[in-house]
Amino acid sequence: MYWDIKKADTYTLYSTLNDVESEFISALNSIDLSANNIIDASKIAFTESVKLALSNCNEAHLKVHKSFVVVTGNILSVSDLEELFVVVPTISEAIDYIYMEELEKKL
């Protein structure tokens, strides 16, 4: 298994166990689309292949009306990626983002 998975009431956090790009891209296909998901990609280099895989995963979440947030671990990466998918520098901010989206959905 590639992920360390932590489930909470409103989201599931997927944390990478290593920094192998090919394993990360492959593991994105195993993510449960029925939940709001946070991907901790702070160990991963954001190559074009990784960006494409995350963008595709984001699109899949949008189709089923679920949240998808990527944690970069680096504030500098955020501005480069935010046009492709929701990206934040910390897990704490990702959790806050999910909670805010859930509140908006209930209104």
Side-chain angles (χ1 to χ4, degrees), residues 15-35:
S15 298
T16 58
L17 296 176
N18 65 49
D19 63 355
V20 179
E21 179 180 320
S22 60
E23 290 181 23
F24 176 77
I25 292 170
S26 177
L28 284 174
N29 294 325
S30 69
I31 290 175
D32 179 12
L33 294 177
S34 68

Side-chain angles (χ1 to χ4, degrees), residues 88-104:
V88 295
T90 67
I91 292 172
S92 164
E93 289 175 82
I95 293 168
D96 289 346
Y97 186 91
I98 297 280
Y99 280 121
M100 292 304 291
E101 279 203 335
E102 285 299 305
L103 284 173
E104 287 177 10

